[in-house]
């Protein structure tokens, strides 16, 4: 009987629990290897797709809304074979729009390192658990991303 009660309680709470939590952040060389792409870029614009009117958080739960950043590519360190990027390109970086869905955040008009994945449509994606460097990238990390880190990935 206790098993049936447990299953009933789990099924009632299953659809109402949403949230995001991340494991402790990997060191940059490990995060570099785990990521499909690594770029240095400057986000210049952000929009929601599909657009919504009013406050995002009072509009109700909608997991299909994405936050789309237009980012100016400054330097490309790593991309999959099917994604072709070069400095000067303006591309879109896509994330979920809500923090509770692990939506990531990029500060506009600020150069930053962006690590993440690529979806089936070849679009760059990232989330709240993507690697960040809170104090910027050191010269040795920059040198590693340009040369050594790729040889370490297997």
């Amino acid at each position: 009987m206790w098993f049936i009660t447990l299953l009933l309680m789990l099924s009632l709470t299953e659809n109402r629990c949403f949230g995001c939590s991340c494991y402790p952040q990997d060191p940059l060389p490990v995060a570099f290897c785990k990521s499909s792409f690594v770029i240095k870029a400057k986000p210049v614009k952000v929009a929601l797709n599909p657009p919504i009117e009013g406050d995002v958080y009072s509009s109700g739960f909608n997991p299909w809304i994405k936050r789309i950043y237009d980012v100016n590519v400054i330097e490309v360190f790593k991309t999959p074979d099917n994604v072709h990027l070069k400095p000067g390109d303006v591309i879109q970086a896509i994330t979920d729009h809500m923090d509770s869905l692990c939506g990531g955040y990029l500060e506009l008009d600020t150069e930053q390192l962006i690590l993440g994945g690529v979806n089936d449509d070849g679009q760059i994606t990232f989330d709240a658990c993507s690697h960040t460097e809170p104090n910027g990238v050191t010269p040795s990390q920059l040198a590693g991303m340009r040369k050594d880190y790729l040889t370490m990935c297997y």
Side-chain angles (χ1 to χ4, degrees):
M1 183 66 169
W2 64 270
F3 183 71
I4 294 172
T5 304
L6 178 64
L7 282 177
L8 179 62
M9 291 185 68
L10 287 174
S11 68
L12 291 175
T13 60
E14 175 185 352
N15 293 330
R16 299 187 187 267
C17 294
F18 301 104
C20 178
S21 61
C22 304
Y23 291 109
Q25 190 169 331
D26 288 323
L28 184 57
V30 175
F32 183 94
C33 289
K34 287 182 177 180
S35 298
S36 296
F37 79 91
V38 181
I39 60 173
K40 182 179 178 184
K42 180 190 254 186
V44 293
K45 179 181 164 189
V46 64
L48 295 178
N49 186 16
I52 61 171
E53 293 185 27
D55 181 23
V56 172
Y57 297 101
S58 64
S59 64
F61 176 75
N62 186 340
W64 295 277
I65 297 175
K66 301 295 181 193
R67 187 181 305 137
I68 301 176
Y69 288 91
D70 288 346
V71 298
N72 184 7
V73 177
I74 297 167
E75 189 168 356
V76 179
F77 301 105
K78 180 182 178 185
T79 62
D81 292 336
N82 65 335
V83 176
H84 304 286
L85 297 178
K86 63 186 181 311
D89 287 350
V90 176
I91 61 166
Q92 294 184 326
I94 300 170
T95 189
D96 285 306
H97 83 290
M98 296 181 76
D99 296 343
S100 61
L101 294 174
C102 291
Y105 174 77
L106 299 176
E107 188 171 335
L108 294 179
D109 298 320
T110 303
E111 288 185 12
Q112 51 207 285
L113 193 62
I114 305 172
L115 292 83
V118 177
N119 66 17
D120 293 337
D121 297 325
Q123 298 170 312
I124 288 177
T125 62
F126 70 101
D127 60 30
C129 300
S130 295
H131 185 88
T132 58
E133 284 294 325
N135 299 319
V137 180
T138 67
S140 64
Q141 288 173 321
L142 198 56
M145 287 188 295
R146 288 179 178 147
K147 185 177 179 185
D148 299 331
Y149 292 177
L150 276 175
T151 60
M152 294 171 29
C153 301
Y154 41 88

